[in-house]
Structure formats: C-alpha cells, structure tokens
Amino acid sequence: MIIHDQIKFLTDEINHLRSDGKKLGLVPTMGALHDGHLSLVKHSFRDNDLTAVSIFVNPIQFNNREDLKKYPGDLQKDLEKLGKILRQNDLVFTPDVNEMYRDPVTHIFDFGNLNKVMEGKYRKGHFNGVAIIVSKLLEIFQPDKAYFGQKDFQQLVIIKSLVKQLDLPVTIVSCPIVREHDGLAMSSRNVLLLEKQRKEAALIPETLFSAVQKSKSLSVKELKRWVIKRINNNPELRVEYFEIVDNIELFPIKSWEEKKEKYGCIAVNVGTVRLIDNVKFPE
Ligand code: PAF
C-alpha cells in the first residue's frame, strides 16, 4: 500500500496510477478501524482496480468538544490492519487538520428536511461538517465509487443528496451493517463502553429485530412506544430518539400501509457513549 499525508503528492500518485483508466474506489473513514470498515474495503475490491482509504478525524463534524477529545484513534494500529488487506497500489491518505482545512470553512449546505430530523436535530452542524469533508475528499480522489456503511443511515441519505446537488460523477455505494456476535452494530465508539455497558448495549439490536416482528401486530405509534420503553427499562440505556422514516425524505411513517422503504432509526446514550443503529421494516 502507498501512504500519503499531503494532497499534492496524493493527487500526483493517483494521476499516475490511473493513467490507463483504472477504476478507483474510495473508503472515507475517521480511523479506529474495525471489521465494518474492512468490509467497505472488500466491497471496493470487488468493484474497482484500485482502492483508497482516507483516515481523518474531521473536527468540524463534532458538535461536542468532549466527543472529539475522546474519539478513539491509533494510526499505527489502523495502518497495520490496512497493511494486511490492501494491495501494492492501493492508497491510504492520512492528512492532518492543516492539510484539509487551509482556508476557513464557511460553506453551509441546504439539505432541507434531511438535516432537520434525528441526528440533524440532536447534533447541530454535524451533517454540514460531514458534507464539507466528504465533498473535499470526493474532489481530491475523483473516485468512480465511494463506500459508506448503512449504520449511518441518515449520513448515507445526505451524502447521496450532496452528490446530486453538486453533480459529482461518483456512485455512492451503501454497504450492509456489520454486527458483533451479539448483534451490536460495529462502531468505533464501541471500545469506549465499559464491560457492563457493552453487554447491555446488545439490547439495542435485539429490540430493533423484535420490533420488525412486532410491526405485524402493533401500529407505528404503539411500536415506537414499545421500543423506547423496552430500552429505557434498562438503567444503562437512554433512548435519545427512535423514528421510523422513509429512505428518501426521512419523513416519519404514520402507517405500515405506506408504500415506502421504511427504516427504524435509533440513537441511545449508554453512559456517555452515544450509539446509533437502524433496521429495515418490510415494505
Ligand atoms: O462515517 C464516518 O466515519 C465519517 O462521517 C466520514 C464519512 C468518514 C466523514 O468524516
């Protein structure tokens, strides 16, 4: 693998490697890599000749300083993991903040409702920060495809909208959630959980999967109440929101009869660690 931390050298390398029309897949990450990230890399291997992974903890997408401070990260460990799967001409980009943000950041994107609900409501400015860094990375790499995990369901919907707004010639590929043995969605934040919290956190996916079954007998309103109550009954867990929305506008679903792709999206505070997850309901 080839590692760069400067845009100039990276883009020279990309131009050289792609001179004969090779297809490039980009996997943007904030490091603290786990098997979920590695599955994105494997998806990219399937579709492209070259794969690039970016590792950059983007400060402007953290609405909370403490969250940024405690965000896990170990570049050496990440590079070791990538070294085991990336091939000779695959790329890793590890810029620092000065490299990515030479000029002050002022751009404000308009995502309408997409940014007003769920994560957008509880993490002000988060998606604007995501959109800024993702548009920068897409501009630098000019990939054919870029890979994102479905755990960040709302992020995916917003990135698809960003690519449309900016007319970027890239295909956004959404990859299935990778889960731990007990169902907990893989997340860089899972390592921050204390042992007991980590154990109890399995109630989140368990409840989401049971909710899909319960949707056969409960109304949308009843089901939402059932999910929130079941999780909040556990003293380690506090639901911030649970919403059932469509995958285009992220409008709340009112009835199971609506002919839309429906997702139940949840954010739960486990002590000071905030976890998100989602599940698809039958159409
Ligand atoms: O999902 C993430 O890890 C981040 O939000 C992303 C897409 C790498 C942008 O910083």
Side-chain angles (χ1 to χ4, degrees):
M1 68 186 180
I2 306 164
I3 305 171
H4 283 291
D5 59 8
Q6 288 178 44
I7 297 170
K8 169 86 184 71
F9 294 125
L10 174 79
T11 48
D12 286 351
E13 185 91 55
I14 293 175
N15 291 339
H16 168 69
L17 290 171
R18 295 181 86 186
S19 53
D20 53 355
K22 284 200 165 58
K23 295 243 176 284
L24 174 67
L26 172 64
V27 178
T29 80
M30 297 207 298
L33 301 180
H34 50 67
D35 285 352
H37 295 112
L38 300 184
S39 93
L40 302 180
V41 170
K42 287 176 194 155
H43 274 88
S44 172
F45 285 168
R46 278 209 316 243
D47 299 344
N48 305 284
D49 306 301
L50 299 168
T51 289
V53 178
S54 63
I55 300 178
F56 177 64
V57 180
N58 176 33
I60 67 164
Q61 73 182 72
F62 286 81
N63 53 317
N64 174 329
R65 262 174 194 277
E66 275 311 300
D67 191 24
L68 173 60
K69 243 168 69 192
K70 69 175 191 228
Y71 197 80
D74 183 337
L75 185 59
Q76 275 324 308
K77 232 175 165 177
D78 287 343
L79 293 177
E80 269 167 40
K81 284 186 185 167
L82 291 175
K84 287 193 184 127
I85 66 166
L86 292 185
R87 292 102 19 124
Q88 197 180 1
N89 285 341
D90 290 326
L91 293 152
V92 184
F93 182 43
T94 59
D96 66 11
V97 175
N98 295 330
E99 186 65 9
M100 290 313 287
Y101 293 117
R102 285 190 198 143
D103 307 316
V105 185
T106 52
H107 192 86
I108 310 256
F109 285 95
D110 181 2
F111 294 112
N113 185 59
L114 302 184
N115 189 28
K116 294 195 176 76
V117 296
M118 304 192 292
E119 296 299 288
K121 181 166 154 194
Y122 288 95
R123 301 183 68 191
K124 293 272 175 250
H126 167 64
F127 285 124
N128 204 60
V130 170
I132 286 171
I133 195 64
V134 170
S135 55
K136 269 178 186 279
L137 291 169
L138 293 176
E139 200 177 305
I140 294 168
F141 282 89
Q142 309 268 323
D144 295 280
K145 295 188 176 173
Y147 297 79
F148 298 87
Q150 274 163 12
K151 181 177 76 71
D152 297 293
F153 167 79
Q154 189 172 7
Q155 170 171 282
L156 248 165
V157 176
I158 286 189
I159 290 172
K160 284 183 185 160
S161 160
L162 170 78
V163 162
K164 219 167 167 186
Q165 269 182 39
L166 301 179
D167 276 321
L168 299 176
V170 60
T171 304
I172 299 301
V173 184
S174 63
C175 302
I177 299 176
V178 180
R179 297 183 179 279
E180 301 284 359
H181 62 280
D182 60 357
L184 185 66
M186 286 200 183
S187 160
S188 302
R189 289 189 164 88
N190 291 354
V191 298
L192 301 173
L193 296 169
L194 303 174
E195 206 181 319
K196 178 151 175 37
Q197 295 172 332
R198 168 63 193 82
K199 225 170 122 213
E200 303 297 335
L203 184 65
I204 303 166
E206 195 206 307
T207 303
L208 292 183
F209 300 144
S210 308
V212 174
Q213 297 308 314
K214 287 254 168 202
S215 68
K216 293 176 194 147
S217 54
L218 296 181
S219 71
V220 173
K221 207 169 153 191
E222 286 165 342
L223 188 80
K224 279 174 71 173
R225 253 195 254 135
W226 180 83
V227 165
I228 294 169
K229 195 165 163 214
R230 189 163 190 262
I231 294 180
N232 280 346
N233 269 345
N234 185 311
E236 300 285 344
L237 312 177
R238 268 294 142 268
V239 175
E240 190 164 73
Y241 66 78
F242 174 62
E243 299 289 348
I244 304 172
V245 296
D246 74 86
N247 65 329
I248 309 289
E249 299 282 355
L250 304 183
F251 285 138
I253 297 288
K254 296 207 170 62
S255 140
W256 301 122
E257 262 64 72
E258 290 178 42
K259 290 266 159 278
K260 291 173 175 167
E261 268 192 41
K262 309 169 191 73
Y263 289 82
C265 302
I266 198 160
V268 180
N269 288 304
V270 189
T272 57
V273 183
R274 191 172 175 281
L275 300 178
I276 60 171
D277 199 349
N278 64 81
V279 74
K280 188 169 188 243
F281 284 94
E283 266 173 72

